[in-house]
């Protein structure tokens, strides 16, 4: 049974609340040790940082613009800048706040420890919550962005995070998803949408993943193409939509109308080009579980202090329940 594969990991995650501070401390020290011989690590003397207090005093909070010169050196093929070795992939972020694109380093470590671990843990929680699931009897349809991988220069490639993830997937995963990679990595949205519709209308799709607004566009295109009234008529074994990126609440009623099935479930996740951070582990609770062992060290700045000249971050153990914070991350992607 597929569930048995996830049992050891579920036991680990069920102990998060007892071990979360220790897990975060381990991520902290692992990051410092691994990056100590990089340009960035040498600049801030990571090798001699023994605790969080020294780290917070020595290493100022950074924005992307502060890191941009270092990232450009990585893009140009330099090794050991923000993270050991040469980084070959960069995610072109759509979350930019100015006219310059953000290129987020995607290292092998953040792929393995964070971006790929998140979906595995989603499945683990889902099978725990719904033990009668037949998820693996069908295939998954992941609707990503429309910026397919392309060379930035002779050293590195760039694309939407979803495209970078698909490009680096283990070949065996292709057995469990539709449509073919060639279609999902198409650039032009309308052509891609029609190609996905034609390739999946007759498939046995059991689960969907994507941004609610984009997925709704695909669902309506599927219904137009097939002449069906509901998606349940097209994919009778559909049981799960994994969503993120924007609030699902404005779309919930529409989805329930188009997928009128008591067997349909919804799970939210918090993933971004910078990392994979949270999963809705409890279907009756909209709060997401912060994932503390993905190689990411979390800090938090109270929102009311964010525009101060020198805002002070606190680690996870310093967070106050009910207070709003901006999330600060240190990752195995070098950020």
């Amino acid at each position: 049974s597929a569930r048995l594969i996830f049992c050891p990991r579920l036991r680990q995650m069920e102990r998060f609340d007892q071990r979360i501070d220790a897990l975060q401390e381990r991520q902290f020290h692992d990051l410092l040790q691994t990056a100590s011989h990089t340009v960035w690590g040498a600049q801030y003397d990571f090798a001699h940082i023994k605790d969080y207090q020294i780290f917070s005093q020595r290493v100022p909070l950074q924005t992307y613009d502060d890191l941009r010169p270092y990232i450009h050196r990585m893009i140009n093929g330099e090794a050991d800048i923000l993270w050991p070795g040469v980084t070959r992939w960069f995610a072109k972020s759509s979350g930019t706040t100015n006219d310059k694109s953000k290129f987020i380093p995607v290292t092998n470590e953040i792929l393995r420890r964070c971006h790929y671990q998140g979906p595995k843990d989603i499945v683990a929680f889902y099978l725990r919550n719904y033990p009668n699931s037949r998820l693996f009897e069908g295939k998954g349809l992941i609707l990503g962005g429309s910026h397919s991988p392309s060379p930035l220069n002779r050293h590195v490639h760039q694309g939407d995070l979803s495209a970078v993830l698909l490009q680096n997937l283990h070949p065996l995963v292709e057995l469990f998803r539709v449509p073919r990679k060639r279609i999902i990595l198409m650039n032009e949205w309308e052509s891609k949408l029609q190609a996905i519709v034609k390739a999946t209308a007759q498939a046995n799709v059991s689960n969907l993943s994507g941004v609610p607004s984009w997925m709704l566009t695909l669902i309506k295109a599927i219904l137009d193409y097939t002449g069906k009234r509901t998606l349940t008529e097209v994919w009778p074994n559909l049981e799960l939509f994994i969503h993120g990126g924007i609030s699902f609440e404005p779309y919930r009623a529409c989805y329930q109308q188009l997928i009128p099935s008591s067997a349909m479930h919804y799970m939210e996740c918090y993933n971004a080009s910078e990392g994979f951070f949270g999963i809705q582990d409890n279907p009756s609770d909209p709060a997401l579980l912060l994932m503390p062992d993905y190689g990411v060290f979390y800090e938090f700045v109270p929102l009311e202090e964010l525009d101060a000249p020198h805002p002070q971050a606190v680690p996870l153990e310093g967070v106050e329940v009910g207070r709003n914070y901006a999330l600060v991350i240190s990752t195995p992607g070098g950020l």
Side-chain angles (χ1 to χ4, degrees), residues 253-264:
C254 192
Y255 272 83
Q256 290 173 342
Q257 182 179 5
L258 295 176
I259 313 172
S261 168
S262 60
M264 186 65 189

Side-chain angles (χ1 to χ4, degrees), residues 34-69:
T34 305
S36 61
H37 299 295
T38 63
V39 169
W40 186 261
Q43 179 177 328
Y44 291 104
D45 195 17
F46 276 11
H48 293 98
I49 294 178
K50 302 302 181 186
D51 56 38
Y52 176 74
Q53 184 176 1
I54 297 173
F55 174 79
S56 63
Q57 292 169 353
R58 184 176 296 174
V59 184
L61 291 176
Q62 308 289 327
T63 66
Y64 181 86
D65 285 336
D66 296 323
L67 294 171
R68 191 186 297 272

Side-chain angles (χ1 to χ4, degrees), residues 27-35 46 83 295-297 330-332:
Q27 317 309 301
F28 172 73
H29 288 293
D30 283 352
L31 289 166
L32 288 177
Q33 182 178 0
T34 305
F46 276 11
W83 194 253
V296 178
F297 180 67
S330 299
T331 80

Side-chain angles (χ1 to χ4, degrees), residues 264-309:
M264 186 65 189
H265 307 291
Y266 300 87
M267 284 184 73
E268 185 173 5
C269 64
Y270 178 11
N271 62 327
S273 299
E274 293 82 0
F276 198 114
F277 308 125
I279 298 172
Q280 184 183 4
D281 61 315
N282 183 346
S284 62
D285 184 352
L288 306 189
L289 175 67
L290 191 73
M291 305 307 289
D293 65 348
Y294 284 5
V296 178
F297 180 67
Y298 299 103
E299 297 172 88
F300 303 83
V301 177
L303 277 188
E304 65 271 16
E305 298 176 17
L306 196 57
D307 294 325

